[in-house]
Amino acid sequence: MTPTPLSVSTSGSTPADAAPIRLGTRASALATTQSGLVARRLEELTGRPVELVHIKTEGDVKTGSLASLGGTGVFVTALREALLDGRCDVAVHSLKDLPTTPAEGLTFVTPEREDPRDALCARDGLTLATLPHAGRVGTGSPRRAAQIRAARPDLDVVDIRGNVGTRLNRALGPDADLDAVVLAYAGLSRLGRTEVISEVLDVDVVSPAPGQGALAVEVRTADIVSDAGAPPVAPDPSTGSGHGLAEAIHLLDHRPTRLAVIAERSVLARLEAGCAAPVGAYATVSGTVLELRSVVAAVDGSEQMSRRGEALLSQDVAPEVLDAAARTLGIAVAENLLADGAERLAPLSATVPEKA
């Protein structure tokens, strides 16, 4: 597959001999918008131009539900292959798309995340409570579908796929065949489309996917280790740019986001669940407290269970100790769900694994 380069305009002065940083991304409007945000920040930090490299993933090429395509990872594998074989230097993913199993030779950081909640986009400004009896709601997410059914058992939840515009047209376009669709608030916000939202769904009604709203900026581990001591490239005193790539990558990492998504993804990992399982998790950091709530729902929405936990975070310990505390919290919440019968509700360990 041949990547398609797309130049990103550079702000500030850029040395003519500075090699561009090649940033791998899917080609959808949302993916390139998200990647563009990271590209501009990397340009500011390094003083080097960033070139977007379009990579087609399995999820972009094949049709059918995400669960039938193999679940978690269908939007990720090709980007990771491009990183490992040298076609790009950095890759940007929606964190909720990443498998919880670490990828050998790769490391990712998490910039500050957008609002992780889901958004209802309904005709006539309807809300979840005011949608008509037997109204048709579209989503490609088993997690969203299960929780929507739990809140409104009378609704007809329809499996849909497509880019953001395609899905919005199903409810808001001239040939709409649905009363509403459910999308991630973060994606709509990054695309500047929040005006289509009729209701932002409370996390106690529809719990977000683990990592939803966050981006993962992934690089080859060897690159950031070897670059850690490299001198800055043509620093610009007016912007503070000139950091090496390794330092820039670390500066992108937002600690509260990192701790929250570690806890959320640890729930998913312990439950051995992927995107085909109706599992939600939402963590927040407030001062020195990391709080986590996770939900497992029956696919048909007939039953769901929720468990909470929290961890105290010391500000005087190493980052890896805080990471371990967040991971421990996620595992503990998952253990409580399993002890209370979560496997009876949802297809957990039976979820289709990540393809090689």
Side-chain angles (χ1 to χ4, degrees):
M1 121 188 32
T2 303
T4 304
L6 174 65
S7 295
V8 175
S9 60
T10 310
S11 58
S13 60
T14 302
D17 59 348
I21 298 168
R22 297 163 301 162
L23 189 154
T25 178
R26 295 172 58 208
S28 71
L30 177 56
T32 55
T33 297
Q34 293 177 160
S35 295
L37 295 173
V38 175
R40 284 187 287 276
R41 185 61 181 138
L42 284 175
E43 287 181 335
E44 292 169 358
L45 290 169
T46 65
R48 293 168 59 184
V50 175
E51 176 184 272
L52 297 190
V53 180
H54 290 175
I55 304 293
K56 282 188 177 180
T57 71
E58 184 180 8
D60 297 315
V61 174
K62 294 185 177 180
T63 59
S65 69
L66 294 182
S68 70
L69 296 181
T72 308
V74 297
F75 296 118
V76 171
T77 303
L79 280 165
R80 285 180 158 174
E81 289 172 352
L83 262 181
L84 291 170
D85 66 21
R87 282 176 286 148
C88 59
D89 308 302
V90 181
V92 175
H93 314 275
S94 291
L95 182 55
K96 68 179 181 179
D97 292 337
L98 284 189
T100 54
T101 303
E104 186 176 357
L106 299 177
T107 299
F108 70 85
V109 296
T110 52
E112 185 173 4
R113 76 170 164 184
E114 177 61 87
D115 189 326
R117 292 176 294 174
D118 286 305
L120 186 77
C121 304
R123 63 174 177 83
D124 305 324
L126 294 169
T127 66
L128 185 58
T130 60
L131 283 169
H133 180 80
R136 287 163 54 82
V137 178
T139 176
S141 161
R143 170 191 58 84
R144 290 173 182 151
Q147 293 182 88
I148 292 293
R149 290 183 179 115
R152 284 286 307 272
D154 62 294
L155 294 177
D156 179 15
V157 181
V158 180
D159 184 58
I160 62 171
R161 280 202 63 196
N163 61 34
V164 170
T166 298
R167 285 179 283 165
L168 284 174
N169 282 337
R170 294 288 299 273
L172 306 178
D175 299 315
D177 63 327
L178 302 174
D179 294 293
V181 293
V182 184
L183 302 171
Y185 178 93
L188 293 169
S189 176
R190 289 173 180 139
L191 288 170
R193 298 295 312 275
T194 55
E195 82 284 353
V196 300
I197 297 172
S198 57
E199 182 184 13
V200 180
L201 297 171
D202 190 277
V203 295
D204 288 330
V205 177
V206 179
S207 180
Q212 184 160 302
L215 301 178
V217 181
E218 194 163 44
V219 294
R220 292 179 291 270
T221 305
D223 284 359
I224 61 170
V225 170
S226 63
D227 187 44
V233 178
D236 181 347
S238 67
T239 64
S241 65
H243 296 289
L245 180 59
E247 187 178 7
I249 292 297
H250 287 300
L251 287 171
L252 288 176
D253 203 39
H254 183 249
R255 174 57 51 176
T257 295
R258 179 180 180 84
L259 294 173
V261 299
I262 285 175
E264 293 167 8
R265 285 165 55 79
S266 295
V267 172
L268 206 60
R270 178 62 190 91
L271 294 178
E272 299 182 28
C275 71
V279 175
Y282 177 57
T284 56
V285 176
S286 179
T288 60
V289 178
L290 172 63
E291 185 175 358
L292 170 67
R293 175 183 182 272
S294 184
V295 171
V296 176
V299 174
D300 63 3
S302 59
E303 187 179 353
Q304 58 182 355
M305 64 173 58
S306 172
R307 298 295 177 269
R308 297 176 183 264
E310 63 180 43
L312 293 178
L313 306 173
S314 172
Q315 298 179 347
D316 302 321
V317 298
E320 56 268 24
V321 176
L322 295 177
D323 289 355
R327 195 170 294 111
T328 298
L329 174 60
I331 292 170
V333 169
E335 293 281 5
N336 287 336
L337 286 165
L338 290 170
D340 291 339
E343 286 182 301
R344 174 180 58 80
L345 292 185
L348 298 179
S349 58
T351 298
V352 181
E354 162 72 351
K355 293 183 177 179

